[in-house]
Amino acid sequence: MSHAKPLASIRALVVDDEAPARRFLTLLLRRDPDIGSVIECGSGLEAIEEIRRSRPDLVFLDVQMPECDGFDVLELLGADLPETVIFVTAYAAYALRAFEAGALDYILKPLDDARFSRALERAKGRLARGDRAASEGIPSWGTPYHAHSVSRIAVKSRGQTLFLKASEIDWIEAARYYACLHLGGATHIVRRTIQELEQDLDARTFFRIHRSIIVNLERVRGLELQESGEYEVVLDSNIRLKLSRRFRKRLQDRLGGL
């Protein structure tokens, strides 16, 4: 039985300070039968208010906007972050930062219909999985649980391919176009974004604590409050990792349920 969103149910928000760009994205979205409504915002501050008020399922967010850019919007939203965000930018250099900020995808200006369609299909897939998780009582923290989450990750090293057990990973750190997998005293580098790894790993075990850090919850010993008022996640190995305010409450709720 499918638990995907029914047709004409997805609530979309388009955020761009350039009216022609907003109108073009809105036009593309309204062509899709799964899109139920489209709202437009012309600034980052307006977007924050609209997101908190209407709780859209999908947000197309321009990176470069005066006063409050796309990254500022995500940071200021905190726990009110939408389920699915796609960045829109004229510069490919922002792609890595977009993924680190938690975006599902990014599309470049001038907009290409085919590239837009691929990004929208990815978004609809994520939203469908999110609905399935909610309807089946699957935990909703971080990335929705995947019934087919990977148990091993392939890593190329010195002419050979290693298949690392996901359960043995202590934590993961984003490093530009790569990700560092930390297992005990060893570190392995894979050419994958932290966003991709987050989607593949079992969200019942792996949790995003910062835009560039995922931890294995089974390795977490506790949280430690610093003099600055910020928290650090302390692992069994005594490694301390920065906990972003954006993820703090969800992590505390998650750990409290263990």
Side-chain angles (χ1 to χ4, degrees):
M1 180 178 178
S2 174
H3 296 280
K5 277 183 173 289
L7 291 178
S9 68
I10 296 175
R11 295 164 296 143
L13 175 67
V14 174
V15 184
D16 198 309
D17 63 313
E18 298 177 351
R22 288 199 310 273
R23 286 195 293 267
F24 185 56
L25 265 174
T26 297
L27 176 63
L28 293 177
L29 284 166
R30 286 180 173 159
R31 290 176 179 174
D32 192 290
D34 290 344
I35 302 298
S37 64
V38 183
I39 299 174
E40 296 183 13
C41 287
S43 72
L45 294 177
E46 182 185 348
I48 292 170
E49 294 180 3
E50 183 60 41
I51 288 169
R52 287 176 172 160
R53 181 174 67 252
S54 63
R55 305 287 181 179
D57 303 303
L58 169 62
V59 177
F60 283 85
L61 183 61
D62 186 27
V63 171
Q64 289 188 299
M65 294 182 289
E67 297 182 3
C68 181
D69 67 19
F71 298 110
D72 292 332
V73 169
L74 297 192
E75 189 67 29
L76 291 170
L77 279 170
D80 295 326
L81 193 70
E83 182 176 353
T84 305
V85 175
I86 294 175
F87 269 114
V88 182
T89 174
Y91 302 96
Y94 285 115
L96 175 63
R97 191 178 171 194
F99 287 125
E100 290 179 345
L104 171 70
D105 206 341
Y106 76 98
I107 52 179
L108 289 174
K109 296 178 180 180
L111 299 178
D112 174 82
D113 286 19
R115 180 68 182 89
F116 166 83
S117 296
R118 289 196 299 272
L120 181 57
E121 287 305 311
R122 287 194 68 197
K124 290 196 291 185
R126 168 178 279 193
L127 289 169
R129 290 193 297 270
D131 277 2
R132 179 168 64 251
S135 65
E136 296 178 358
I138 297 170
S140 60
W141 52 85
T143 303
Y145 162 67
H146 300 284
H148 302 291
S149 54
V150 299
S151 60
R152 293 177 183 269
I153 295 178
V155 176
K156 293 183 179 180
S157 176
R158 298 177 182 177
Q160 61 180 336
T161 300
L162 305 177
F163 295 95
L164 307 178
K165 292 182 179 179
S167 61
E168 295 180 354
I169 297 173
D170 299 327
W171 62 289
I172 301 170
E173 178 182 20
R176 294 184 63 79
Y177 298 102
Y178 300 84
C180 299
L181 311 180
H182 299 275
L183 299 80
T187 298
H188 299 274
I189 298 176
V190 293
R191 191 179 178 84
R192 301 188 64 189
T193 67
I194 196 168
Q195 180 74 8
E196 292 172 337
L197 290 170
E198 183 183 26
Q199 292 174 2
D200 285 347
L201 293 168
D202 190 339
R204 295 173 298 182
T205 303
F206 291 90
F207 192 93
R208 190 90 165 254
I209 65 167
H210 187 273
R211 67 185 186 185
S212 60
I213 300 174
I214 295 173
V215 298
N216 183 336
L217 292 175
E218 295 180 358
R219 303 292 194 276
V220 175
R221 188 170 69 203
L223 304 181
E224 189 172 287
L225 180 62
Q226 306 301 300
E227 291 182 0
S228 63
E230 301 293 330
Y231 279 87
E232 288 184 342
V233 175
V234 183
L235 305 186
D236 291 332
S237 59
N238 287 323
I239 287 178
R240 285 168 166 75
L241 304 170
K242 183 178 180 180
L243 173 60
S244 170
R245 291 184 180 181
R246 172 179 158 192
F247 299 101
R248 182 194 304 167
K249 187 178 186 304
R250 282 187 293 169
L251 178 61
Q252 290 172 328
D253 291 344
R254 176 71 180 101
L255 292 174
L258 290 176

